[in-house]
């Protein structure tokens, strides 16, 4: 085994502390990555808050450089800049994996942290650490021109909104609304605009209007204003719902145009839907999560071509608890990224 340093919680502790952790020795198809930047995701908060035992090291959207490669690795060389997301392995043989949707692996994908390694049964530890060892097919060459800190959130938040936008055929002539302007939502706006769609933000507050337009949106619908909601009824071909808290989907479905789709991404829990909100207009309710290898690679290429990255606040990793506390209060625009250089 090899050792590295990271930030984790053990037992019932809620504050992360500096820890030593083990990484596996490289397998023939592994690469070792020096983690430079790791995004802070709402999932990290849920994992830390729910953690009850054993060592948990969060972090599942990161960029860095290859420091070592196994003998069977041909896609990467030492020194290559790479990016890794929240999936680090899958069965590879089910219909989903064979179709390039490893995120929907029938045996469930191996997650970057808190997952079970498919070969030795160990629990994976995440990238709030200076080194990560990953199977080469689940790492991606970071395109030249993408800032590595601002690119890190693309590997979770980015691909999570990219997949439904692409699967729903968003492009010129499509009317898109993005509900919630946070870590997911601001990237959904950037992608929709870059894809050529007419893009609007749905927000509880008119105070987001300036930011929405800065990101490329053409306007804002204030969800607490009944007149604005009524005026926007049946207007959008696609509504991307990134709101993380439980909420009524009815008002958002009523904004969807005939044969349009509400893609619910932010809240991963039970929802209640009135059938009439779907029936009137033949509307569809769908969801998505993460992305397979082909979609992730395509997203990174698109981002390089169009200059799309996350809006980030970079903090030294020693301030990880501050980042988590502020994220709990939604005090960030729009994604925290940890700089792991202080673990060297």
């Amino acid at each position: 085994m090899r050792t590295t340093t990271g930030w984790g919680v053990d037992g019932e502790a809620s504050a992360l502390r500096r820890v030593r952790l083990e990484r596996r020795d490289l397998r023939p198809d592994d690469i070792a990555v020096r983690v430079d930047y790791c995004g802070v995701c709402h999932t990290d908060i849920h994992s830390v808050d729910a953690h009850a035992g054993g060592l948990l090291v969060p972090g599942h959207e990161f960029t860095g450089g290859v420091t070592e490669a196994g003998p069977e690795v041909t896609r990467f060389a030492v020194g290559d800049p790479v990016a890794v997301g929240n999936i680090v392995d899958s069965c590879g043989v089910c219909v989903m994996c064979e179709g390039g949707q490893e995120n929907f692996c029938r045996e469930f994908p191996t997650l970057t942290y808190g997952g079970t390694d498919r070969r030795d049964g160990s629990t994976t530890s995440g990238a709030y650490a200076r080194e990560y060892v990953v199977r080469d097919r689940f790492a991606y060459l970071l395109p030249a021109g993408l800032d590595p800190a601002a690119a890190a959130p693309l590997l979770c938040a980015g691909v999570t909104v990219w997949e439904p936008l692409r699967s729903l055929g968003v492009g010129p002539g499509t009317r898109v609304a993005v509900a919630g302007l946070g870590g997911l939502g601001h990237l959904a706006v950037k992608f929709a605009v870059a894809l050529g769609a007419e893009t609007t933000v749905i927000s509880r507050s008119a105070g987001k209007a300036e930011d929405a337009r800065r990101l490329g949106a053409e306007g804002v619908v204030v969800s607490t204003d009944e007149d604005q909601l009524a005026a926007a009824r049946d207007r959008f071909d696609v509504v991307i719902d990134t709101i993380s808290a439980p909420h009524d989907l009815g008002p958002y479905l009523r904004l969807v145009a005939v044969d349009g789709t509400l893609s619910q991404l932010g809240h991963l829990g039970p929802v209640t839907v009135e059938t009439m909100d779907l029936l009137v207009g033949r509307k569809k309710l769908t969801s998505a999560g993460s992305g397979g290898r082909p979609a992730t690679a395509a997203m990174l290429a698109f981002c390089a071509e169009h200059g799309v990255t996350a809006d980030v606040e970079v903090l030294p990793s020693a301030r990880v608890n501050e980042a988590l506390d502020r994220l709990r209060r939604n005090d960030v625009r729009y994604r925290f990224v940890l700089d792991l250089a202080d673990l060297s």
Side-chain angles (χ1 to χ4, degrees), residues 32 44 57 73 93 116 132-133 182 189 191 198 236 249 254 258 270 277-278 303:
D44 301 339
V57 177
V73 174
V93 297
T116 301
Y132 198 94
V133 174
V189 171
F191 280 136
E198 175 189 310
F236 302 106
L249 299 185
R254 290 189 281 276
V258 173
D277 286 331
L278 295 172
C303 289

Side-chain angles (χ1 to χ4, degrees), residues 215-231:
L215 294 168
E218 298 184 19
V220 171
V221 173
V222 179
S223 61
T224 53
D225 186 322
E226 294 297 331
D227 290 338
Q228 290 193 32
L229 288 179

Side-chain angles (χ1 to χ4, degrees), residues 288-304:
S290 188
R293 293 170 56 239
T296 303
M299 175 204 65
L300 287 171
F302 181 89
C303 289

Side-chain angles (χ1 to χ4, degrees), residues 2 13-14 40-41 73 113 115 119 173 196 293 317 324:
R2 50 206 292 153
S14 58
V40 180
C41 179
V73 174
Y113 71 88
R119 303 192 204 183
R293 293 170 56 239
S317 73
L324 292 171

Side-chain angles (χ1 to χ4, degrees), residues 21-338:
L21 64 146
E22 293 184 335
R23 299 294 192 198
R24 64 176 181 260
D25 290 328
L26 265 64
R27 296 165 182 160
D29 59 348
D30 278 342
I31 59 172
V33 180
R34 181 198 64 248
V35 181
D36 293 328
Y37 299 101
C38 184
V40 180
C41 179
H42 269 285
T43 304
D44 301 339
I45 292 176
H46 300 321
S47 298
V48 169
D49 290 349
H51 184 62
L55 177 63
L56 171 73
V57 177
H60 62 200
E61 48 181 45
F62 65 95
T63 58
V66 177
T67 58
E68 190 176 348
E72 294 179 4
V73 174
T74 59
R75 296 175 53 236
F76 302 104
V78 171
D80 282 347
V82 293
V84 179
N86 62 341
I87 296 170
V88 292
D89 207 354
S90 69
C91 79
V93 297
C94 72
V95 63
M96 291 295 185
C97 289
E98 289 186 341
Q101 294 286 177
E102 293 87 354
N103 51 322
F104 302 138
C105 175
R106 292 286 174 83
E107 294 185 8
F108 200 77
T110 301
L111 301 181
T112 310
Y113 71 88
T116 301
D117 185 274
R118 310 186 93 82
R119 303 192 204 183
D120 63 19
S122 62
T123 300
T124 55
S125 290
Y128 287 8
R130 193 51 166 156
E131 182 182 72
Y132 198 94
V133 174
V134 61
R135 192 178 179 192
D136 68 334
R137 68 199 306 261
F138 287 89
Y140 306 88
L141 191 67
L142 185 67
L146 288 183
D147 176 79
L154 297 175
L155 276 294
C156 176
V159 74
T160 295
V161 297
W162 171 259
E163 277 233 328
L165 288 169
R166 297 306 286 148
S167 67
L168 294 171
V170 167
T174 309
R175 298 165 299 172
V176 173
V178 177
L181 197 59
L184 289 175
H186 89 287
L187 283 170
V189 171
K190 288 189 176 189
F191 280 136
V193 170
L195 288 165
E198 175 189 310
T199 306
T200 300
V201 168
I202 306 170
S203 175
R204 290 180 56 83
S205 169
K208 292 289 183 74
E210 183 177 344
D211 249 13
R213 291 189 175 89
R214 178 182 61 81
L215 294 168
E218 298 184 19
V220 171
V221 173
V222 179
S223 61
T224 53
D225 186 322
E226 294 297 331
D227 290 338
Q228 290 193 32
L229 288 179
R233 184 159 185 168
D234 303 322
R235 174 177 163 189
F236 302 106
D237 304 302
V238 174
V239 175
I240 301 293
D241 181 353
T242 71
I243 301 167
S244 60
H247 57 285
D248 182 8
L249 299 185
Y252 300 95
L253 279 167
R254 290 189 281 276
L255 301 180
V256 175
V258 173
D259 291 322
T261 301
L262 171 64
S263 184
Q264 207 281 326
L265 306 179
H267 173 59
L268 301 181
V271 297
T272 300
V273 178
E274 292 291 342
T275 303
M276 290 298 291
D277 286 331
L278 295 172
L279 183 154
V280 177
R282 292 190 302 266
K283 299 174 183 181
K284 296 176 280 292
L285 173 64
T286 186
S287 188
S290 188
R293 293 170 56 239
T296 303
M299 175 204 65
L300 287 171
F302 181 89
C303 289
E305 180 181 355
H306 294 273
V308 175
T309 54
D311 286 10
V312 300
E313 181 178 342
V314 181
L315 296 176
S317 73
R319 294 170 63 184
V320 60
N321 290 303
E322 175 190 338
L324 292 171
D325 288 344
R326 286 180 55 193
L327 184 56
R328 289 184 179 95
R329 305 193 304 269
N330 292 319
D331 178 23
V332 59
R333 290 194 177 181
Y334 282 101
R335 201 75 164 185
F336 281 119
V337 170
L338 300 178

